[in-house]
Structures are given as C-alpha cells and as structure tokens.
Amino acid sequence: ATNIMRTEVEWMKESIFHRLYDEYHQDVFRFLVYLVKNRTVAEDLSHEVYVRVLKAYERFESKSSEKTWLFSIAKNVAIDYFRKANVRQRHTFDAFDWEQEQLISPTKSPEHFVELSDEMKRLLAVLEQCTGDQKMVIVMRYFQELSVAETADILGWTEGKVKTTQHRAIKALREKLNKLEQGRIRYEG
C-alpha cells in the first residue's frame, strides 16, 4: 500500500508541475530574458526555477497565488545569478544588495532583442542603469503586466513600496532617456 500511495503522490506532484509549467513557462522565461538579456542563460535559469518548484511545492501554502509564488522563485533565481556574476566580476564576496545595485547583465545585446523597436532598445539599455529594485518593478509591472498587488507579493513588499519604487523608476527612466536623447541630438547635429 505504501508503494501505491507514494506513486499517487509522485503522480500528483508531476501533474501539478506540468500544469504550472504549461501555464507559466513562457511568462517566467520572458521575465528572465528581460532581466538577464540572454536567451540561453534565461533557459538555464528557467530550468532552475522549475527544479526549485518541484522541490518546494509541498511547502507552498496558498498564501499567494501560484503565479506570484512562481515569479518569486524566478526573482530569487535571477538575483542569485546576478550575485554570482557580481562575485566573479569583482572577485569579492562583499554583500550584494540587489535593490541598490544595478542588475547589469554580462550580455549586451541578446538576439531576442534584435526585433525590438529602437525606442524599446533604448528603454532596455537605460533600464540597466537603474537600481535593481527599479528594474525589477518595471519589468514586472510593464513587461509582465503584473498588478501592484502581485508585484508586492512576489517581492515581499507592501503595495506602497511597489508604487513608490515604480514612481521613482519612471522618473529615473524619463531623466536617463532625456539625457540619452539630448546626447544623440548633439551627436547627430
């Protein structure tokens, strides 16, 4: 009876895993691509997200939606990636505060972004200059179209902090885009 029970539990876990994968894989993958700017790395990180999902699903308590839980795992996987890249780049184990540091991808122009408009490419380039918390909020709110409540849930923040960070991010992006535009006009003129 124990073997039958165990296989039923395994079958249920597998079925839940496949449902989550089918429902959210594209969104999670796109989220990771926007953060790390490299399809291959995003695929590897996406795989890591689902490894963690499989290991942790029985601890999922439904305090949040499966979607926000999954994005929370993806956010943590991405932060781990940036933390490791930071250690490799600086050859140091200094504290890495993802909210304050820039989450700069080692890859500069991924093949995925080739089909984007010039305006979108400029926005993504300028987004690299924002702090990690600003980049994360902009990607979640505008690229993934997550609500303020979902974004707050994923980041473990209050909705007020999400709104404040979003406001500051938009202001920073506007200023950086204006500087970029003025520099381009001067350069072309």
Side-chain angles (χ1 to χ4, degrees), residues 150-175:
E150 288 172 322
T151 303
D153 197 12
I154 291 165
L155 296 173
W157 294 355
T158 62
E159 290 185 21
K161 183 172 179 180
V162 170
K163 289 176 185 174
T164 301
T165 304
Q166 177 180 317
H167 176 76
R168 287 183 182 145
I170 290 169
K171 186 178 176 200
L173 284 170
R174 200 172 281 137
E175 288 170 6

Side-chain angles (χ1 to χ4, degrees), residues 1 14-17 38 54 81 114 141 166 173 175 187:
E14 201 172 298
S15 129
I16 290 166
F17 176 83
N38 180 312
L54 208 50
Y81 165 78
V114 170
R141 295 280 294 121
Q166 177 180 317
L173 284 170
E175 288 170 6
Y187 181 74

Side-chain angles (χ1 to χ4, degrees), residues 7-152:
T7 52
E8 271 186 50
V9 169
E10 286 172 0
W11 180 83
M12 263 185 62
K13 272 175 76 174
E14 201 172 298
S15 129
I16 290 166
F17 176 83
H18 285 296
R19 180 180 55 76
L20 288 174
Y21 185 87
D22 291 345
E23 204 167 325
Y24 299 113
H25 176 68
Q26 282 303 320
D27 289 337
V28 167
F29 176 69
R30 197 174 313 113
F31 171 66
L32 291 167
V33 167
Y34 279 121
L35 287 176
V36 302
K37 295 172 69 180
N38 180 312
R39 288 183 76 85
T40 307
V41 171
E43 283 169 11
D44 292 345
L45 296 179
S46 189
H47 176 75
E48 175 62 24
V49 167
Y50 286 98
V51 166
R52 290 188 190 185
V53 164
L54 208 50
K55 288 179 180 175
Y57 192 79
E58 54 219 28
R59 293 192 307 274
F60 174 64
E61 297 172 353
S62 300
K63 288 179 183 169
S64 61
S65 70
E66 288 176 331
K67 179 182 182 180
T68 58
W69 178 68
L70 210 57
F71 271 91
S72 182
I73 292 171
K75 170 208 64 157
N76 290 335
V77 166
I79 290 168
D80 288 348
Y81 165 78
F82 284 113
R83 186 176 288 123
K84 287 173 188 163
N86 186 52
V87 167
R88 276 195 300 272
Q89 184 184 350
R90 294 184 185 175
H91 305 289
T92 177
F93 285 94
D94 293 345
F96 178 77
D97 180 355
W98 72 269
E99 291 185 30
Q100 300 306 313
E101 306 250 353
Q102 294 176 337
L103 301 179
I104 300 172
S105 174
T107 310
K108 287 301 159 207
S109 55
E111 60 282 7
H112 170 70
F113 293 143
V114 170
E115 67 265 13
L116 295 177
S117 68
D118 286 344
E119 187 179 353
M120 189 63 156
K121 287 178 188 171
R122 278 195 299 277
L123 177 64
L124 288 168
V126 168
L127 195 54
E128 288 274 299
Q129 300 167 27
C130 290
T131 57
D133 60 344
Q134 292 173 345
K135 182 177 181 178
M136 198 73 76
V137 167
I138 293 297
V139 169
M140 286 181 184
R141 295 280 294 121
Y142 296 102
F143 294 91
Q144 295 304 129
E145 298 177 359
L146 296 169
S147 70
V148 169
E150 288 172 322
T151 303

